[in-house]
Amino acid sequence: MKTKPLGAFGWLLFTMILWGSAFPSSKYATEHVPHAIAVLFRFGGGAVVLLIITFFRRPQQSPKLKDIVGACVAGLIGVCGYNSLFFWGVTLAPASDGSVIFPALTPVITAVVLILTHRETARPARVMGLVLGVGGAALFFFTTNAHGAPGSTRLMGDTIFLVGAAVWSTYTLLNRRLVAGMDPVQAVTYSTVAGSIALGAMATPHFGDVAWGSLSTGFWINAVYLAIGPTAVAYILYVRGIRDVGASAASVMMFAVPLFGTIFSFISLGESFTWSQGAAAVIMVGGALLAVITGRKPATEPAATEPVGVEQPVPGDASEEPEQPAGVAARTPDDTPAQDPGATSVREAGPATR
């Protein structure tokens, strides 16, 4: 019994490494092609991989039309909306900024919405965590502005990351209802395909701006890696991890993403924080982690003794499920929907880009 959870945590850690690497890899892609095309390569390629997996997997039960529609709507929000903002942000700010802001602020925003709508109550420790998370974010933005060079686009990029975190939280809060009743891998596939179609429509006007013949072999290797590793493989592994260890444990693992994202950004792109930005990032991530690990008690129901549900990076009655990368939803043994990441939300979330 102990071997399976231990192995599941190992695969979850590997998933966080993949999602952390997606930030500098995405930045590299946007340095060669417009961000609309870069995001299409990642999720369009990921959709192809997922379709192949689904074809050979042959699930026993076909999804209902309403479930397919729900998954497609989730894809428009979580895949198209969130990732368009993410790839736009990395064209303006360091990838390391996104690797901190997305995983840290998504659970904070989600928790605040759930508390304000009276779907959850807040204990003192959790309120303290939320205050630290928001305060750390404010300090991070202040130091970014203070240290930014004249004409720097970093503050604008970080603001786009913040908006992206809010979109992912919205996806988290809606996801459970949108994909309820679907097989997890099918839900991820339909969501990714629908989001990719929308991304294709957005990218079409920019195809003429690319000097296709001059794109290097390194660019294409990076594009294939983004589609397979941080997208198709990572999303499926995260769903399986939620199934094996539960939503709460899986969501806490998301806080490893800023660490790996920062390390990979430093190694591959030479990015770094100032000391003040680093301190602000630690406060922001620490506050978000405190808000997640201190029990969240639903406002209308007694707290469950064991968190078992997970949801994609996107939500519904998601107050009890973690987030998963865009367009992913999973189910746990008690039939509680799970969520997506790329990325880092409270129990109902699933990064993104991660």
Side-chain angles (χ1 to χ4, degrees), residues 7 14 33 69 94 106 132 137 162 175 181 202 209 211 248 254 263 267 272 298 304 322 334 338 342:
F14 179 62
V33 297
V69 172
T106 297
L132 286 173
L162 173 60
N175 188 59
M202 295 171 60
D209 301 331
S248 179
M254 293 291 296
I263 291 174
I267 293 174
S272 62
D334 66 346

Side-chain angles (χ1 to χ4, degrees), residues 1 32-33 44 51-52 68 98 199 205 217-218 227 241 278 287 293 302 327-328 330 347 351:
M1 294 296 294
H32 294 77
V33 297
L51 285 170
I52 294 173
I68 294 176
L199 290 171
T217 302
I293 64 176
V328 178
R347 287 190 226 177

Side-chain angles (χ1 to χ4, degrees), residues 136 139-140 273-285:
L139 181 60
F140 189 90
F273 291 132
T274 63
W275 284 106
S276 54
Q277 289 170 323
V282 170
I283 294 173
M284 180 167 45
V285 174

